[in-house]
Amino acid sequence: MNNSKTAAALKTMLAALICILAGLVIGFIVLLVLAYTGIAAKGEPFTMLDVIKTAYNDGFKQLLMGGFYLKPRAVRNEIALAAPLIMTGLSVGFAFKTGLFNIGAAGQYTVGALGALIFALIFKLPWYVCLLGAALFGAVWGAIPGFFKAYLNINEVITAIMFNWIGLYAVNTLTYMGGNSPMYNLKTTKTWPIAAKSEWSVIPDLGTTYFKKPATIAIFLAVAIALVLYVVLNKTTFGYELKACGLSKTSAKYAGINEKRNIILSMTISGALAGFGAGLYYLSGVAEWQPLVSTVLPSMGFDGISVALLASSNPIGIILSALFISHISTGGGMMNANLFPPEIADVISGVIIYLCAFLMLFRNALGRIFTRKNKGGTK
Amino acid sequence: MQLLMKYTLLYSFVLMLVALGGMFSERSGIINIALEGIMVIGGLAGVLATNMMANSSPMMIVTVSILCAAIAGILYSLMLAFASINLKADQTIGGTALNILATAIAMVIAKRINGTQSPRIDYNNGPFIFDIGGLSLNVFIVLGAVLLVVSYVVLYKTRLGLRLRSCGEHPQAAASVGINVFKMRYTGVIFSGLLGGIGGFAYIAPAVQSWNFEVGVSGMGFLALAVMIFGQWKPFRIFLAALFFSLFRAMANIADSIPFLAQLHWPKEIYNMMPFIASMVVLALTSKKSRAPKAEGIPYDKGMR
């Protein structure tokens, strides 16, 4: 019993590694093409080796090394990015476990950011209250698609997409209000830095001097939540009921589980997780909201999908895959921008999601290889 | 008033084209959430073709660039077809991946072509626009009207259409009378790539002379999905639904120039929100009698009953 469980986990991990490897290979090919056109444009003679060298030294190396390319400063950025990514990954992953596809993590994250800013900049409450506020705002935004799904039978994906955009425009309006919003700083065209308005709303410092710049305990909070979620999903009746709904709505109903309530509850929790992630990011003092230029949804929400898929929605795995995604995004930002746009990191994560869409196929194929090896061809 | 009409027409044919694309795909049984991404890729290809042929005759520019947009859309949609038909992947996740990938690819290409770190591409949209009685129209309106009729005929009056629809309702039954489900579903997705690619170009080209690919197509592909559902997967209803949605969308563009609306001093964002809110209201009201294709989203399995 225990043995088969480890084998399954091993297969999942192997499949994820194949996805990552394939994503990196495609990323390297893109770098090669860009390096080739870049060098060829100069009109000087060159060899294929020059192209490969440029692609590696100016792009791929940074991608692989991530934050460690410019340590310790960039390592801090990588970790600051990983904390909210873990949360959006958990948000999407939790919904997956309960049979829902929460594509709305981006919107819940955005609305969660608004919650964090309101509680910190206007009410000036301590950081843990602000975090709960962010989670609360995200939860409301997550509950809406759940409600539409449970009572009106509208696919949660459609509702979530619509509310992503509604959320984005609403947050931009409220943080700006024609320049009159109390959260808006006219000079920087961003929202006020949290520390300037309410010092105790900033998440406490880690207390290490290694990074040369302040780093907060956000990452530990995210990891703690992942562990809690793992226990809830695997060791409690509540988690079991939610998962049962995910596996088969009708059988769950037959077993006396209130499936409508569970759908709304799953989406609410999922939204709260995404909102909490926004809280971790915006209360860390690493970035402010920019209402005038935020015309697209934060990529954090969509990266959460890659994170969750890569980890097969396992909360512990999500911690690792979030670290990986934040690793390559940080690395992508450090490539030679004249040759390689940082969006190559997004290309890689897009390829990974695409491959993850048929991850099951890999897993089954791997399974066949395993059983053949172990049991000499008998099934 | 004329401005309102101009933008309403502009957006309605974009939404209609893309929603028709979605209709073909879903009628064959494949949920195409990648429409947004297909639009981006189609728009990018069209814009690049326009720039490359800047010195050709207007007729040439229009024909070739629209063809390029269509072909790019088809090629990109094949990735969805391959994942969801051959590999039986989760169609929603595959589509989401393609959406994310499309914006990333467009940004990388646009930045590369500019040689700078700006993903904004300039182009001349003169060849696409013409005037009738002071009302500014564009070639996509003509093309859209033709494609609407063609779509209707293909879907309801041809053998192909009948077979395609049967694969979206009950693929096993279709297969039992000798219809190749794989081929039909590929056809559906390819049509959606064609229409989505043209739709993306139709959104970008006639309105402005410079496009920032960072914003993709700002949610138009998703709105088209709502238009398709509101249109109940039927061509002419989709056209009416598209008109309804674009009226809201157009308001965002011209709110400042209508005296009555300008007096309200609402932020632009409120108008941007409106089509999305309207689509939710509409979806909520029509959900009970939804006539979605029965087999959409379910990978075809020969052995399933």
Side-chain angles (χ1 to χ4, degrees):
Chain A
M1 173 68 199
N2 210 3
N3 215 352
S4 73
K5 237 182 187 170
T6 7
L10 213 66
K11 267 187 280 180
T12 311
M13 263 163 74
L14 210 59
L17 285 178
I18 291 175
C19 283
I20 290 176
L21 205 66
L24 286 176
V25 167
I26 290 172
F28 189 58
I29 293 172
V30 173
L31 289 176
L32 279 178
V33 172
L34 291 177
Y36 178 82
T37 53
I39 294 176
K42 280 186 198 156
E44 292 160 13
F46 63 95
T47 61
M48 224 34 227
L49 194 67
D50 294 333
V51 174
I52 296 175
K53 264 190 193 158
T54 318
Y56 181 77
N57 286 330
D58 287 348
F60 204 56
K61 195 167 140 199
Q62 284 86 332
L63 216 52
L64 288 183
M65 289 181 69
F68 294 92
Y69 185 74
L70 268 182
K71 63 181 176 183
R73 191 171 55 81
V75 179
R76 164 189 176 255
N77 295 348
E78 187 175 321
I79 292 173
L81 199 66
L85 260 183
I86 292 175
M87 295 311 301
T88 51
L90 288 174
S91 165
V92 179
F94 184 78
F96 270 139
K97 283 271 184 200
T98 58
L100 299 160
F101 181 25
N102 182 17
I103 200 175
Q108 292 140 19
Y109 181 85
T110 310
V111 175
L114 176 72
L117 293 173
I118 288 178
F119 277 74
L121 293 175
I122 297 180
F123 299 138
K124 301 194 168 58
L125 292 165
W127 61 274
Y128 42 88
V129 182
C130 296
L131 274 178
L132 290 179
L136 181 74
F137 272 58
V140 170
W141 222 244
I144 297 169
F147 179 83
F148 272 84
K149 165 105 176 175
Y151 287 101
L152 296 167
N153 199 24
I154 300 176
N155 194 317
E156 78 276 9
V157 175
I158 297 285
T159 320
I161 288 171
M162 298 300 162
F163 274 89
N164 275 349
W165 291 96
I166 297 172
L168 175 70
Y169 292 131
V171 171
N172 279 344
T173 314
L174 290 173
T175 47
Y176 180 60
M177 299 199 342
N180 297 323
S181 169
M183 290 173 268
Y184 186 70
N185 180 352
L186 277 170
K187 275 192 190 128
T188 56
T189 69
K190 296 173 181 174
T191 54
W192 286 97
I194 309 285
K197 285 265 172 180
S198 158
E199 212 160 298
W200 70 342
S201 298
V202 181
I203 298 173
D205 198 79
L206 197 54
T208 165
T209 51
Y210 170 73
F211 299 120
K212 307 235 165 72
K213 262 189 158 185
T216 64
I217 59 167
I219 184 84
F220 293 105
L221 295 174
V223 169
I225 300 233
L227 295 176
V228 169
L229 220 55
Y230 179 81
V231 173
V232 168
L233 274 173
N234 294 311
K235 310 282 177 203
T236 66
T237 321
F238 175 63
Y240 185 82
E241 283 193 3
L242 289 182
K243 278 197 294 185
C245 276
L247 290 172
S248 169
K249 216 163 75 175
T250 37
S251 345
K253 195 175 176 186
Y254 181 70
I257 298 169
N258 184 343
E259 97 282 13
K260 281 197 166 70
R261 188 196 68 140
N262 274 1
I263 287 173
I264 298 177
L265 214 53
S266 311
M267 282 306 289
T268 310
I269 294 173
S270 183
L273 292 168
F276 191 86
L280 288 183
Y281 193 62
Y282 287 97
L283 297 170
S284 273
V286 278
E288 286 88 41
W289 187 262
Q290 297 174 283
L292 292 186
V293 292
S294 300
T295 48
V296 282
L297 288 154
S299 62
M300 207 71 83
F302 298 110
D303 286 342
I305 300 173
S306 344
V307 167
L309 285 171
L310 209 48
S312 297
S313 304
N314 180 319
I316 311 294
I318 283 173
I319 300 173
L320 299 176
S321 59
L323 282 169
F324 169 74
I325 296 286
S326 109
H327 187 77
I328 60 164
S329 318
T330 314
M334 283 185 297
M335 295 186 298
N336 178 353
N338 294 324
L339 277 172
F340 309 122
E343 284 77 22
I344 288 169
D346 297 342
V347 172
I348 293 176
S349 97
V351 168
I352 290 176
I353 307 185
Y354 182 72
L355 295 174
C356 282
F358 41 89
L359 188 72
M360 282 302 284
L361 201 84
F362 285 141
R363 209 154 41 190
N364 294 341
L366 285 172
R368 250 171 276 141
I369 297 168
F370 267 113
T371 40
R372 211 173 294 151
K373 267 187 187 159
N374 292 345
K375 291 171 191 166
T378 53
K379 258 203 167 174
Chain B
M1 207 51 213
Q2 210 157 48
L3 265 181
L4 185 69
M5 234 158 96
K6 177 190 156 188
Y7 281 111
T8 307
L9 273 178
L10 181 85
Y11 292 135
S12 60
F13 277 90
V14 172
L15 284 176
M16 183 204 73
L17 280 169
V18 182
L20 284 176
M23 172 195 80
F24 274 112
S25 174
E26 299 218 345
R27 274 294 176 98
S28 77
I30 304 291
I31 291 182
N32 192 345
I33 213 165
L35 284 171
E36 176 97 356
I38 292 172
M39 282 179 81
V40 172
I41 296 292
L44 178 72
V47 165
L48 293 182
T50 311
N51 273 353
M52 253 179 246
M53 306 198 310
N55 298 322
S56 320
S57 71
M59 193 62 203
M60 266 299 271
I61 296 183
V62 169
T63 327
V64 176
S65 58
I66 291 179
L67 265 178
C68 281
I71 291 169
I74 290 174
L75 289 178
Y76 200 63
S77 71
L78 282 178
M79 281 174 68
L80 177 74
F82 179 69
S84 50
I85 301 171
N86 295 74
L87 300 178
K88 299 188 166 67
D90 186 312
Q91 295 166 10
T92 323
I93 297 172
T96 307
L98 291 181
N99 283 337
I100 295 171
L101 207 53
T103 318
I105 291 174
M107 294 266 280
V108 169
I109 293 179
K111 282 186 177 180
R112 198 47 207 271
I113 283 174
N114 282 338
T116 61
Q117 281 160 42
S118 149
R120 186 177 275 284
I121 295 185
D122 301 328
Y123 48 88
N124 171 24
N125 66 0
F128 299 95
I129 302 176
F130 57 89
D131 256 35
I132 292 182
L135 184 67
S136 162
L137 297 171
N138 65 67
V139 291
F140 296 102
I141 294 178
V142 183
L143 183 65
V146 174
L147 285 175
L148 171 64
V149 176
V150 171
S151 297
Y152 175 78
V153 173
V154 168
L155 194 64
Y156 288 109
K157 305 288 173 199
T158 64
R159 206 163 60 172
L160 174 76
L162 181 66
R163 291 181 167 184
L164 191 127
R165 281 182 288 143
S166 72
C167 291
E169 295 297 331
H170 200 311
Q172 286 81 13
S176 73
V177 291
I179 296 172
N180 186 338
V181 178
F182 275 53
K183 218 161 99 187
M184 280 304 123
R185 290 196 162 179
Y186 256 98
T187 314
V189 176
I190 285 173
F191 278 164
S192 79
L194 175 107
L195 293 165
I198 296 179
F201 190 40
Y203 178 55
I204 292 175
V208 284
Q209 306 242 24
S210 158
W211 191 260
N212 182 353
F213 278 93
E214 194 184 358
V215 301
V217 288
S218 54
M220 275 310 242
F222 297 129
L223 270 187
L225 279 177
V227 166
M228 178 193 72
I229 298 173
F230 187 30
Q232 293 291 300
W233 296 267
K234 294 190 176 87
F236 286 106
R237 277 199 184 196
I238 285 179
F239 175 60
L240 293 179
L243 271 177
F244 172 78
F245 275 90
S246 20
L247 197 64
F248 284 101
R249 183 66 184 72
M251 297 242 274
N253 282 39
I254 51 151
D256 302 334
S257 51
I258 298 181
F260 156 70
L261 288 176
Q263 269 173 10
L264 292 174
H265 290 295
W266 282 358
K268 201 175 169 204
E269 249 88 21
I270 303 278
Y271 297 103
N272 281 335
M273 244 186 260
M274 274 185 179
F276 296 101
I277 295 176
S279 62
M280 277 331 295
V281 173
V282 162
L283 288 179
L285 292 178
T286 53
S287 69
K288 291 281 183 232
K289 45 179 183 181
S290 177
R291 304 275 302 124
K294 283 207 177 59
E296 67 168 10
I298 308 163
Y300 170 55
D301 178 0
K302 269 184 199 158
M304 208 174 73
R305 280 160 194 272

